[in-house]
């Protein structure tokens, strides 16, 4: 299962929160932190893939193109990939790049889940409008409506796990939680090292 979205949207934080780990995936307030594909093996049952974020304005166009090429090649070419969790920041409208990713995933027939991150920053009273705007922009049906998620409060963790498990066709992950003593481990990045 791969996790994709704009730089700084909260991909690494979401992976850490899902896995109940504080700093397995590198997080940073500096956008563009994750520059490689990073693989996390969950009890040897499946992998989470933290993809580099797109759209960071301070990164040169050439480097952004390079990242996009890498991500597209990975997404289009990985037979074992069960699906992509597409993250968007709940506080901001979707961008052309988000819609580009959505079109690309649809064009290669990739199953996807949609998540609105940093939900702790969006008042409850605004949630319905935010979700409706994202649904319209991404052309999603009601059943595909994005989930709100917060790596800070843990909101959305059970719902996202349920959706991810359904996509993976995996047994309930409770049996793979770190509490069992078999914590997920970090795998070597496929393409070079992280930026730190
Ligand atoms: N309030 C709030 N902040 C969050 C949440 N998730 C992530 N952040 C913050 O957003 C910033 C970016 O988080 P990351 O998880 O590093 O984002 P990323 O998408 O992996 O970023 P890149 O690797 O640069 O693409 C950090 O300062 C996080 O603390 C959230 O749910 N709520
Ligand atoms: Mg990251």
């Amino acid at each position: 299962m791969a996790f994709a979205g704009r730089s700084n949207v909260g991909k690494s934080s979401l992976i850490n929160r899902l896995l109940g780990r504080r700093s397995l995936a590198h997080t940073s307030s500096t956008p563009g932190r994750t520059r490689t594909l990073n693989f996390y093996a969950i009890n040897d049952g499946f992998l989470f893939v933290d993809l580099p974020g797109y759209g960071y304005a301070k990164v040169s166009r050439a480097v952004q193109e390079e990242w996009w090429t890498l991500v597209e090649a990975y997404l289009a070419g990985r037979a074992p990939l069960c699906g992509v969790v597409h993250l968007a920041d709940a506080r901001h409208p979707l961008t052309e790049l988000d819609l580009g990713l959505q079109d690309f995933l649809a064009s290669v027939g990739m199953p996807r889940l949609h998540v609105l991150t940093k939900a702790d920053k969006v008042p409850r009273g605004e949630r319905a409008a935010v979700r409706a705007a994202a649904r319209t922009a991404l052309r999603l049906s009601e059943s595909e409506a994005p989930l709100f998620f917060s790596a800070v409060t843990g909101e959305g963790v059970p719902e996202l796990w349920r959706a991810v498990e359904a996509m993976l066709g995996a047994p309930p992950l409770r049996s793979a939680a770190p509490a069992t003593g078999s914590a997920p481990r970090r795998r070597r990045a496929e393409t070079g090292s992280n930026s730190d």
Side-chain angles (χ1 to χ4, degrees):
M1 181 72 57
F3 296 80
R6 273 181 74 92
S7 189
N8 211 43
V9 72
K11 296 173 295 299
S12 302
S13 302
L14 177 143
I15 288 173
N16 286 330
R17 185 78 202 208
L18 276 182
L19 298 178
R21 297 285 297 260
R22 230 177 237 173
S23 54
L24 187 74
H26 292 293
T27 64
S28 171
S29 53
T30 312
R33 183 66 160 179
T34 308
R35 295 188 177 177
T36 55
L37 304 174
N38 289 295
F39 295 79
Y40 303 93
I42 319 295
N43 273 7
D44 292 329
F46 51 90
L47 298 173
F48 276 178
V49 188
D50 190 4
L51 296 173
Y54 48 80
Y56 178 39
K58 286 191 186 160
V59 169
S60 75
R61 206 184 170 84
V63 171
Q64 290 206 38
E65 284 292 326
E66 208 175 284
W67 289 1
W68 195 248
T69 303
L70 172 73
V71 168
E72 272 195 354
Y74 175 74
L75 293 175
R78 295 292 302 171
L81 194 59
C82 293
V84 171
V85 180
H86 184 183
L87 288 71
D89 192 320
R91 300 169 302 177
H92 306 303
L94 287 144
T95 66
E96 283 301 314
L97 292 173
D98 292 315
L99 304 182
L101 177 66
Q102 164 76 346
D103 287 347
F104 172 75
L105 293 173
S107 75
V108 296
M110 182 65 67
R112 49 210 181 270
L113 295 170
H114 294 279
V115 172
L116 293 168
T117 61
K118 309 192 186 183
D120 52 286
K121 300 280 193 190
V122 180
R124 297 268 165 188
E126 295 174 19
R127 296 288 184 88
V130 166
R131 180 184 264 137
R135 244 191 80 195
T136 304
L138 292 164
R139 298 188 301 276
L140 302 175
S141 68
E142 176 62 43
S143 65
E144 299 168 315
L147 285 172
F148 282 103
F149 188 96
S150 169
V152 172
T153 65
E155 178 184 350
V157 168
E159 292 84 357
L160 183 55
W161 261 129
R162 271 198 292 278
V164 166
E165 283 165 5
M167 207 167 255
L168 287 167
L173 198 99
R174 292 291 149 247
S175 61
T180 62
S182 49
R185 62 175 188 274
R186 187 150 187 263
R187 279 199 176 173
R188 197 178 65 80
E190 197 171 60
T191 54
S193 61
N194 223 329
S195 54
D196 53 339

